[in-house]
Amino acid sequence: MKNTVISMRNVDFDYDQKPALQQINFEIPQGAFMGLVGPNGGGKTTLIKLILGLLKPQRGSIELLGTPINKFKNWNKIGFVSQKANTFNRGFPATVEEVVSMGLTAKVGYLRFFSRNHREKIKEAVDQVGMAAYLHENIGDLSGGQQQRVFIARALVSDPELLILDEPTVGVDTEHVQKFYELLHKLNHDKNITLLLVTHDIGTMTRHATNIVCLNKTMHFHGNPDQFSSLSDAELSNYYGHALNLVSHEH
Amino acid sequence: MLANFFQYEFLQNTLYTGLLIGLIAPLLGSFIVVRRLSLIADALSHVTLAGIAFGLLIEKKFAAGIITPFYSGMGFSVIASIFIEQLRSVYKAYQELAIPIILSGGVGLSVVFISLADGFNTDLFNYLFGSVSAVSRSDLWTIIVISVIVLAVLFLFFKELFMLSFDEEHAVVSGIHAKRIHFLFILLTALVIAASIRIVGVLLVSALMTLPVAASIRLAKGFKQSIILSVIFGEISVVAGLVSGYYFEIPPGGTIVMTSIIILLAALAVKRLRINFFTRRTQQ
């Protein structure tokens, strides 16, 4: 039986006593590629923050890699590419190598320094996302798609078992979105990294994900892509709270 | 001209202090600029002025060196750095509000202390714009200690500070103690300001932390290179500023900042030339 990477049981979360998430129950097995979809304000980013330990649920329990989240210490096993990765300070004078090195900062620990092994790991991660030629370039000089790859390399450098990506393709051109999904596919299949992808790009995601959760304050759907695709327009519109046209397209 | 700086003790003190602040001010300034905290240095320097005015008042009223303006300035600066952090956590949505509050508070307190002392003479002028003759041997030793502390902390926590500067959310998610590291950083800023004031003066101290960095980030590839360049620019500004200030009998704060501005303009010109050169090559 596969190990469970994330387990949420009866999780409720309120912002100032207003319910933001209610009765969240799901498990992500190791090696899964889970797509998290739902309308804006439906609680997707809140759910990610709960998983990352940035927020604490009022009720229910969360386990990461089999450990209750309040006792979880292995944060380097969780890679995270934030929505904000697109809005970083582009004038910041940091090379690709320097940005990716940040993924090892917590693992190396306080009062310790990067070793030659760490530098090799950084090069490997950059190579893995196809950015080796840009190792010494300033990140601000790269295109949106290239920057996104660098942030994925930063998340990968600590050898995570789970990679969480919060709307990573916002602001990335269509050609790079295609390459981005190819990269995710490679990480999921070849490296057996469990993926949790928050996205609005439902059409493309359903072709790659193994599980899909649809979230709008509570879980409206949890199943595989075939089950998701067989949902009627009326059911989807009901989950989203407004009419929805699902367009599946090849980039 | 430069020979005098090796001949007389008071000029030696000034030169060594200058070389130290030419190193630590842009070094710390590199983090301050990329974290968009340039104005915090300004706010802290104005509170340092209040501390100096307090020290001068005590000196004048009690005619004794119970507390020297240098130490009272440093004390006020450190206390203000703690207040800034408190205010930033109280006004989470308006974190920049901490700056005008502390800055105006500093100037207000300075005015009160200066009035209570019925004004000061040249001492205050030296603190405002810097002086080539104001650094004593004991000041120099204090500045050496501050420099060693700043260099040690930056060296030991470099990777954490760099991560916090680039992406605070990611740093927190990774388990970095953002609040503690940030507090340490603000404390260092207060110490560097106090150390720099004798030479550059209260009103221009933040310039030495930001102008060399403003020039270096236009030219550098990467953060480490930007730090190295900013320190080189800082040292050139301090040495050229001190020597010309001494020669023309101008407070060194003014000449140091003007040298920094010239370096900044040169950096901007070099960057523009580089861009034009590469655009032309790609067009060909």
Side-chain angles (χ1 to χ4, degrees), chain A residues 52 54 82 88-89 92-93 95 98-99 102 105-106 108-114 136-138 151 154, chain B residues 34 36 155-156 159-160 162-163 165-167 169-170 172-174 176-177 181 217 220-224:
Chain A
L52 292 171
L54 295 173
S82 144
F88 74 100
N89 170 12
F92 197 110
T95 61
E98 287 174 331
V99 172
M102 289 180 226
T105 297
V108 172
Y110 289 112
L111 308 182
R112 289 169 194 271
F113 304 96
F114 292 126
H136 301 296
E137 294 298 319
N138 275 345
F151 289 120
R154 181 179 70 172
Chain B
V34 295
R36 300 176 199 244
F155 182 68
L156 292 174
K159 63 184 191 312
E160 285 82 10
F162 176 54
M163 193 178 184
S165 308
F166 186 77
D167 185 348
E169 187 186 43
H170 183 248
V172 173
V173 169
S174 309
I176 301 292
H177 297 92
I181 303 265
I217 56 176
K221 277 252 163 85
F223 192 60
K224 281 185 185 147

Side-chain angles (χ1 to χ4, degrees), chain B residues 56-100:
Chain B
L56 287 171
L57 171 69
I58 298 289
E59 260 186 359
K60 192 169 177 179
K61 292 284 177 198
F62 299 99
I66 313 166
I67 176 167
T68 68
F70 179 60
Y71 287 109
S72 57
M74 200 190 309
F76 272 54
S77 182
V78 168
I79 292 167
S81 69
I82 298 168
F83 268 121
I84 285 185
E85 281 319 286
Q86 290 295 326
L87 285 170
R88 277 161 65 89
S89 61
V90 171
Y91 291 103
K92 274 193 180 132
Y94 300 97
Q95 291 198 334
E96 75 284 358
L97 203 53
I99 293 163

Side-chain angles (χ1 to χ4, degrees), chain B residues 200-239:
Chain B
V200 206
V202 168
L203 298 179
L204 299 169
V205 65
S206 68
L208 190 59
M209 300 179 108
T210 51
L211 291 181
V213 184
S216 74
I217 56 176
R218 294 300 293 164
L219 302 175
K221 277 252 163 85
F223 192 60
K224 281 185 185 147
Q225 203 182 87
S226 153
I227 287 182
I228 293 168
L229 271 181
S230 69
V231 168
I232 293 172
F233 294 158
E235 294 290 10
I236 294 172
S237 305
V238 167
V239 173

Side-chain angles (χ1 to χ4, degrees), chain A residues 16-114:
Chain A
D16 295 330
Q17 296 180 335
K18 284 182 195 153
L21 289 173
Q22 286 182 311
Q23 284 300 304
I24 306 297
N25 283 290
F26 69 84
E27 288 189 344
I28 305 184
Q30 194 178 34
F33 181 162
M34 180 152 125
L36 180 61
V37 296
N40 285 331
K44 301 191 294 293
T45 298
T46 304
L47 186 78
I48 299 296
K49 284 186 174 171
L50 285 168
I51 294 170
L52 292 171
L54 295 173
L55 296 173
K56 287 189 174 60
Q58 274 82 11
R59 288 162 292 279
S61 67
I62 303 173
E63 283 185 6
L64 292 177
L65 303 169
T67 309
I69 196 159
N70 52 347
K71 290 183 183 149
F72 188 74
K73 297 268 185 263
N74 265 336
W75 288 106
N76 57 300
K77 292 285 167 202
I78 316 281
F80 174 52
V81 180
S82 144
Q83 217 173 353
K84 284 189 188 157
N86 289 310
T87 56
F88 74 100
N89 170 12
R90 273 158 217 272
F92 197 110
T95 61
V96 168
E97 187 181 28
E98 287 174 331
V99 172
V100 176
S101 76
M102 289 180 226
L104 284 174
T105 297
K107 193 175 184 179
V108 172
Y110 289 112
L111 308 182
R112 289 169 194 271
F113 304 96
F114 292 126

